[in-house]
Amino acid sequence: MEWNQKKGRRLQIVSFVIIAFLTGEVVLLMVQTLSGDEKAITYDDSTKKYLFFVLSTDCPHCINNLTHWKEITIGNDNDNCYILGISMSNLEETNKYAAERDVSFYLSTADTSFGREYKIA
């Protein structure tokens, strides 16, 4: 039980650090689109809102929370927020995940440096 509490606390800390970092003026992410093309995503307009959902295709918590992310996407019909899913899994697994679960938001895969840089396992 204690181990789960420590793991949960670490996840909260990592999440907070990522959110704090993303609130900076400029962020550049390199992701791979589901068609296999690399694309740079810039966060350079402080007047726009950005919401990133980092997931793994084999993570039970990510799968359970997917319905909430779909609801958020549907509720964002006035485009006041850009929503992007970033998969830590490979392109093939991510494509299968998106097709099987009818992902309704933009989903990309991160390059290997993304996970190392943000300490996401």
Side-chain angles (χ1 to χ4, degrees):
M1 185 65 144
E2 184 178 318
W3 184 82
N4 283 337
Q5 289 175 340
K6 287 181 181 178
K7 185 177 178 182
R9 183 69 178 150
R10 281 191 210 126
L11 181 60
Q12 287 176 338
I13 291 169
V14 169
S15 298
F16 175 77
V17 169
I18 290 172
I19 290 168
F21 178 75
L22 292 175
T23 58
E25 284 299 314
V26 177
V27 175
L28 174 65
L29 299 175
M30 283 301 290
V31 295
Q32 188 175 40
T33 64
L34 295 186
S35 62
D37 303 323
E38 284 194 5
K39 183 176 182 179
I41 298 174
T42 57
Y43 170 81
D44 56 1
D45 185 347
S46 61
T47 63
K48 295 181 182 177
K49 296 176 186 173
Y50 298 84
L51 185 59
F52 297 98
F53 174 41
V54 180
L55 64 101
S56 176
T57 59
D58 60 354
C59 167
H61 302 293
C62 299
I63 293 168
N64 289 338
N65 284 315
L66 184 60
T67 56
H68 301 295
W69 285 96
K70 287 180 180 181
E71 290 172 7
I72 291 169
T73 304
I74 291 168
N76 187 45
D77 56 0
N78 60 358
D79 293 330
N80 62 347
C81 181
Y82 294 102
I83 299 172
L84 172 65
I86 302 173
S87 173
M88 300 307 297
S89 303
N90 68 39
L91 183 60
E92 182 179 327
E93 291 172 358
T94 302
N95 276 324
K96 182 179 176 186
Y97 179 90
E100 288 176 352
R101 291 179 172 75
D102 191 31
V103 173
S104 56
F105 51 86
Y106 186 79
L107 182 61
S108 294
T109 60
D111 66 6
T112 55
S113 66
F114 179 83
R116 283 191 308 271
E117 185 173 340
Y118 297 103
K119 298 183 180 17
I120 300 170

